Amino acid sequence: MKHDALSFRKLQKNDNTLLNNLVVAAVILITMAILKSSKFFSFTNFQSMAYQLPQYGLMAFAMALAMISGGIDLSIVGMANLSSMIAALMMIKLANLIPNQNLIIYVIIISCLIAILIGLLCGLLNGLLISKIGIPPILATLGSMQLFSGVSIILSKGNAINRLPPLYAKIGNYALFNIVPLPLLIFILLALSVSFMLNKSAYGIKLYMVGSNTKAAKFSGLHVDKIIIQTYCLAGILSSVSGLIMMSRLNSAKSDYGQQYTLQCLLIAILGGVNPQGGHGKISNVMIAILIFQFLSSSINMFPYFSNFYKLLIWGIVLLGVMIWNKYSKSR
Amino acid sequence: MGKKRLGHEFYVFLAIVSLSLIIQARSGQFFTLNNLVDLMVSFIVPAIFAMCELIVIISGGMDVSFPAVASLSMFATTKILLSMNYTGNVFFAFLLSGSFGLIMGAINGALISIFNLPALIVTLGTQSIFMGILQGALNAQEIAEIPKVMFDFGNAKLFVATNPLNGLKSNMSSSILILFAVVIITYVFLHFTMWGRGVYAIGGDSNSAIRAGFKVKQIKFSIYCFVGIVAGIAGMTRVCMMQNCQPNNLIGMEMTVIAAVVLGGTSVKGGSGTIIGALLGTFLLTIISNSLLLLSIPTYWQSFFTGLIIIIGTGVTSFQLILSSHRLPSMRKSKNEA
């Protein structure tokens, strides 16, 4: 059994995405070194990248997981906004109830835990719809995205929820030794645990098997439904954490924050070598894809001539370019 | 097979009837002439979109770029016609918008058929590119004044419906003729040409279609070209009806249209789907978005209801499939025992 698992891993390693992506990252860094050396390679720039990266990075992991299982998750942004919305409303309600302001830290912790629970439940709903009811992942998550953002619109009446406890923003902007931001630490921690789950746990192997051939996995006795539900739950948890980080960064919660992240996460996952048909993709490669994306994004921001809208154009071209490149490099 | 498809459309029809009866009971305003005309008018553009999405989904694909295609082609056409002070026939405007759409559809089609990439991801990418061109390169803002021919066409009405109770008037826009034309053309293409058979065949099983002698790549390419043309026409219709050109107005519509088509019984796995079903599905979603006010439900519930309907509607069809696949072996068993 162990031997089988090992050879299965070897099969997974058989792609050159890592090398490709490292080259791309190097090219971007060298280009920026030539063009805007002093501005790009500054401490402030890298710190602001470290603050920006975790929120969509976690969503990209969620998307990658769903895609490895052979599906797609279009509801990640909806889940992130719904859980952060509920956390925000709870914080405000509970902060008014407690007698002593020193207790506010507990309020924040409880609200965050509940937000993560909400993310889990949202993921559970997705998983059940896909596995037990049999709705194709695209449609199930398309519908649940509308549903989740619908609930957060109803809860907030479409407004932004402001006036969060000041301590929360402080925690979100805390930096260890004044260098490493807390969101980045959370991100690294979660990235390591997801990577561990995929590479070292039985769940990981099963996930890849389900992704590469659901029917074969079913006939070899795997509980396919359970694995799919677990995957979407995990995606829900990751999205809710990302929603919490987003809430601390913006110091508010709203039902339509981060709309652009769906496309970005898809782009990152594909850049990271995740196969849209399922079964292939490594978290370490996705990690590098996230870094590339952040480098690119920050680089574009250095040129004020490119407005935000050109970014959209560039992401589209990069997405299609990478897909075509992958196709050709594989067929060779 | 045929019986089952009929059944599904019947359920959607039943849902429409019961929903309208509920709305009528709650508000007493649903079955008034002006409300029905209003419904038809807001049904026009989504229904045109539903026709192109229907063909894509039957062929087993998924196109999310058509609102971007429509926005870009309608904006470019309006801009061009304004700059040349165009006064000729309004058909030229539709032709121009349709040709812009054709170009963009051909890009989609080429990427999908030549490189054999997943349609959803390709169209997500091209959607981003088209919006980037629209908002970045063209720096699109709202155009308040559209060329007079387009304005006149949008203003033209077939008849006026008046509510005898409160005197409210609603105009039946003549744009509905465009919807009729698009529906008829789609119907003829799907059911009376080899191309239409090919669309169903590709959706059912692409490999079998190749072996049956269909030129799958060509058909796929032409499907997305067709989508482009129809999307361009839909965009133009929208501009004429709104009497101004709002470049960001259509964005997000792809989700409702896909939902509507699937609600109408089109399988996302491809190979089956009917025009009647897609139209009924679109009508159901139009009723929901139009009638929340009549039910005095705040409009911010709309997204919630749309999501709920998508999940329930697709859930019912998918669950039936699961049930029937479970039932087959057990039936065989009982036969053996007998």
Side-chain angles (χ1 to χ4, degrees), chain B residues 1-207:
Chain B
M1 186 76 178
K3 202 178 168 192
K4 198 175 165 191
R5 282 217 299 266
L6 194 86
H8 190 85
E9 283 139 17
F10 180 69
Y11 288 131
V12 181
F13 182 69
L14 220 61
I16 291 176
V17 171
S18 46
L19 192 67
S20 30
L21 286 177
I22 293 171
I23 298 166
Q24 172 71 15
R26 281 283 304 263
S27 66
Q29 295 279 318
F30 188 82
F31 288 111
T32 52
L33 267 179
N34 74 316
N35 184 49
L36 292 178
V37 167
D38 278 345
L39 268 180
M40 281 317 286
V41 168
S42 38
F43 172 70
I44 294 173
V45 173
I48 300 179
F49 279 138
M51 286 303 101
C52 55
E53 191 66 22
L54 173 74
I55 292 189
V56 174
I57 296 184
I58 289 177
S59 78
M62 180 74 76
D63 189 331
V64 292
S65 70
F66 59 89
V69 171
S71 308
L72 185 49
S73 37
M74 76 186 191
F75 183 81
T77 309
T78 315
K79 237 352 204 249
I80 289 172
L81 292 189
L82 274 179
S83 71
M84 59 193 261
N85 285 323
Y86 182 73
T87 50
N89 199 314
V90 74
F91 285 105
F92 180 67
F94 281 95
L95 191 71
L96 196 60
S97 187
S99 351
F100 279 124
L102 173 66
I103 296 169
M104 285 180 263
I107 294 173
N108 277 336
L111 286 169
I112 292 166
S113 64
I114 296 173
F115 297 106
N116 202 13
L117 299 174
L120 174 75
I121 295 168
V122 167
T123 49
L124 264 173
T126 50
Q127 176 213 37
S128 177
I129 292 176
F130 299 149
M131 288 316 290
I133 294 173
L134 183 65
Q135 296 173 333
L138 296 179
N139 193 16
Q141 308 287 332
E142 185 189 331
I143 304 176
E145 210 164 306
I146 59 172
K148 189 163 178 310
V149 274
M150 283 158 62
F151 186 90
D152 288 342
F153 178 77
N155 237 353
K157 43 195 172 264
L158 292 180
F159 58 88
V160 181
T162 318
N163 188 337
L165 291 175
N166 49 19
L168 283 175
K169 281 182 186 165
S170 300
N171 301 333
M172 176 57 92
S173 167
S174 47
S175 313
I176 200 161
L177 295 176
I178 292 172
L179 172 62
F180 286 148
V182 170
V183 170
I184 290 169
I185 290 171
T186 315
Y187 185 79
V188 170
F189 274 2
L190 261 188
H191 293 281
F192 293 102
T193 62
M194 215 46 194
W195 183 81
R197 293 290 93 199
V199 171
Y200 277 100
I202 293 173
D205 188 335
S206 185
N207 285 329

Side-chain angles (χ1 to χ4, degrees), chain A residues 139 142 146 266 309 312-313, chain B residues 124 128-129 135 255 268 303:
Chain A
L139 280 172
L142 182 83
Q146 293 268 354
L266 200 68
F309 297 124
L312 216 58
L313 185 79
Chain B
L124 264 173
S128 177
I129 292 176
Q135 296 173 333
M255 297 302 171
V268 208
S303 172

Side-chain angles (χ1 to χ4, degrees), chain A residues 150-169:
Chain A
V151 173
S152 29
I153 294 173
I154 293 166
L155 286 175
S156 63
K157 298 196 170 58
N159 301 320
I161 304 291
N162 296 316
R163 291 191 299 169
L164 301 176
L167 183 62
Y168 186 68

Side-chain angles (χ1 to χ4, degrees), chain A residues 6-46:
Chain A
L6 279 176
S7 53
F8 193 72
R9 295 265 179 253
K10 246 178 216 163
L11 210 81
Q12 291 291 324
K13 269 182 195 152
N14 195 11
D15 68 287
N16 47 3
T17 319
L18 184 69
L19 193 72
N20 280 349
N21 278 351
L22 284 175
V23 170
V24 173
V27 168
I28 297 172
L29 288 179
I30 293 169
T31 319
M32 288 315 288
I34 296 166
L35 289 174
K36 295 248 174 179
S37 182
S38 57
K39 223 174 160 190
F40 190 82
F41 292 96
S42 63
F43 177 69
T44 31
N45 185 36
F46 274 91

Side-chain angles (χ1 to χ4, degrees), chain B residues 191-332:
Chain B
H191 293 281
F192 293 102
T193 62
M194 215 46 194
W195 183 81
R197 293 290 93 199
V199 171
Y200 277 100
I202 293 173
D205 188 335
S206 185
N207 285 329
S208 314
I210 294 175
R211 291 196 188 131
F214 285 111
K215 289 179 177 136
V216 171
K217 284 199 168 176
Q218 284 180 17
I219 296 177
K220 268 194 180 170
F221 178 74
S222 57
I223 288 171
Y224 290 92
C225 292
F226 179 81
V227 171
I229 298 172
V230 175
I233 291 172
M236 198 71 237
T237 316
R238 176 78 167 202
V239 175
C240 293
M241 286 171 65
M242 302 272 291
Q243 311 268 298
N244 61 10
C245 182
Q246 292 173 346
N248 296 324
N249 196 283
L250 291 168
I251 304 309
M253 207 165 188
E254 66 272 18
M255 297 302 171
T256 5
V257 171
I258 292 171
V261 171
V262 175
L263 268 183
T266 312
S267 158
V268 208
K269 298 195 173 78
S272 71
T274 57
I275 289 177
I276 298 288
L279 288 176
L280 285 175
T282 314
F283 197 59
L284 183 64
L285 287 187
T286 312
I287 292 181
I288 291 172
S289 61
N290 260 39
S291 303
L292 287 178
L293 274 177
L294 285 181
L295 289 172
S296 60
I297 295 171
T299 41
Y300 50 75
W301 280 80
Q302 190 181 331
S303 172
F304 176 79
F305 278 122
T306 316
L308 204 63
I309 294 271
I310 298 175
I311 288 176
I312 294 174
T314 54
V316 169
T317 15
S318 312
F319 200 59
Q320 277 172 347
L321 265 178
I322 282 196
L323 281 185
S324 63
S325 69
H326 279 248
R327 208 174 291 146
L328 272 175
S330 66
M331 270 163 69
R332 215 174 289 145

